[in-house]
Amino acid sequence: MDFIEPKKRFGQNFLIDDSITERIIDLVRPEKSDHILEIGPGTGVLTKELVGSGASVHAIEIDESLCFLLSKKFNGKKNFFLTSENFLKFDISILKNISNSWMAIGNLPYNIATQIIFNLLGYTNLFSKMVLMTQLEVAERMIAAPNTSKYGRLSISIQRKAQIDLRIRIDKSCFFPVPKVNSAVVEIKPIESPNNQNLESIIDKITRAAFNNRRKIVGNSLNRFFSPEDIIANGIDPKKRAENLSISD
């Protein structure tokens, strides 16, 4: 691995286990015709394999020292494009000018992982697949099913917009520096849907109220939105708790 002093402010933990890299690439299965958005390429461990496949790789990296390293490493590669920018400020919509179909790949900083995923899911019609690494606990919450302790607002928000599977569990020893928690790779396949901001806002308010106190029954936690009669009329028992309700409920 090229030595770059990891920067805590960017949440940098570099993957150093080649076997994990191979498993991630097997999930992505890059081909020459693909357009890939790589978020936080770091020292270019995954980037090397993606570029080597012939796919068009567009990498977004916030760290200028890493950008310098990546520019040197992939100098002359006509299928590698690098943008030095904070991904949270990157305008995803400009990708439409290059292709109508993308894959997103990345080892996401723990502190902004969910925000990045929600930004990507704002463009469900643009991405065919996402293969993203995040904190194991967050991954488990994203895939959680009703009637489990980890099912909540995050589970609902993600699963409404995509099919998500936890594909690889990664021990913290596979990174440098070693983080305090384990990681996981999730595969996300967006479900094409119209972008209705009013609906998103309403669902956010309802799920926030429902899960604000998980022990409350929905007849009480949602009483400012619905009467018990409204809830029953929709085929739901008002004595159930939020964690007992499916997304369709």
Side-chain angles (χ1 to χ4, degrees):
M1 187 186 79
D2 300 273
F3 183 76
I4 292 285
E5 188 69 35
K7 297 180 178 63
K8 192 172 182 179
R9 72 180 185 276
F10 294 145
Q12 290 175 345
N13 298 94
F14 301 133
L15 182 64
I16 57 173
D17 188 317
D18 291 342
S19 67
I20 299 297
T21 301
E22 291 173 6
R23 292 176 67 187
I24 293 172
I25 294 300
D26 285 344
L27 277 177
V28 178
R29 297 188 299 277
E31 297 182 356
K32 193 171 183 178
S33 59
D34 290 331
H35 286 81
I36 297 174
L37 174 67
E38 187 178 12
I39 304 161
T43 59
V45 173
L46 282 170
T47 317
K48 179 182 177 182
E49 304 301 325
L50 296 172
V51 171
S53 73
S56 179
V57 181
H58 296 249
I60 312 293
E61 175 57 59
I62 190 173
D63 188 336
E64 290 183 3
S65 60
L66 286 174
C67 286
F68 179 74
L69 172 70
L70 292 163
S71 296
K72 285 180 61 180
K73 182 177 281 191
F74 300 106
N75 182 35
K77 297 292 184 181
K78 294 183 179 180
N79 60 325
F80 176 71
F81 307 90
L82 179 63
T83 300
S84 179
E85 189 173 351
N86 180 342
F87 185 76
L88 294 180
K89 296 180 180 179
F90 177 69
D91 183 4
I92 298 174
S93 67
I94 66 172
L95 297 177
K96 296 175 184 177
N97 299 329
I98 302 170
S99 174
N100 291 321
S101 181
W102 288 78
M103 287 193 287
I105 316 297
N107 175 8
L108 308 183
Y110 292 152
N111 59 332
I112 56 171
T114 54
Q115 194 172 350
I116 289 174
I117 292 171
F118 282 132
N119 283 4
L120 292 170
L121 287 175
Y123 298 86
T124 52
N125 299 336
L126 186 60
F127 293 97
S128 60
K129 181 166 69 173
M130 306 171 192
V131 177
L132 304 171
M133 191 188 307
T134 185
Q135 186 175 343
L136 175 60
E137 182 186 352
V138 171
E140 289 175 336
R141 286 168 53 207
M142 288 194 288
I143 67 165
N147 300 304
T148 64
S149 61
K150 293 185 179 179
Y151 180 72
R153 292 179 60 221
L154 181 60
S155 321
I156 293 168
S157 298
I158 298 289
Q159 293 173 34
R160 280 186 58 243
K161 296 186 174 184
Q163 174 189 328
I164 178 168
D165 294 285
L166 197 161
R167 295 300 191 190
I168 309 171
R169 294 173 185 267
I170 308 173
D171 190 82
K172 56 189 175 184
S173 63
C174 296
F175 298 89
F176 173 78
V178 178
K180 295 179 180 179
V181 295
N182 295 327
S183 297
V185 174
V186 292
E187 182 179 27
I188 301 173
K189 294 181 178 179
I191 301 167
E192 289 192 17
S193 58
N195 190 3
N196 186 333
Q197 289 302 317
N198 185 49
L199 176 62
E200 296 302 321
S201 176
I202 291 169
I203 290 177
D204 180 67
K205 289 176 183 176
I206 290 172
T207 53
R208 188 184 298 271
F211 285 97
N212 191 44
N213 186 334
R214 297 179 68 97
R215 302 308 300 165
K216 277 190 174 183
I217 60 173
V218 291
N220 292 335
S221 62
L222 299 181
N223 60 9
R224 66 189 177 99
F225 299 103
F226 311 107
S227 69
E229 290 74 24
D230 292 329
I231 296 173
I232 293 169
N234 282 280
I236 297 168
D237 182 353
K239 292 183 180 179
K240 284 188 175 182
R241 297 186 176 96
E243 67 185 42
N244 304 130
L245 303 183
S246 68
I247 291 176
S248 60
D249 288 334

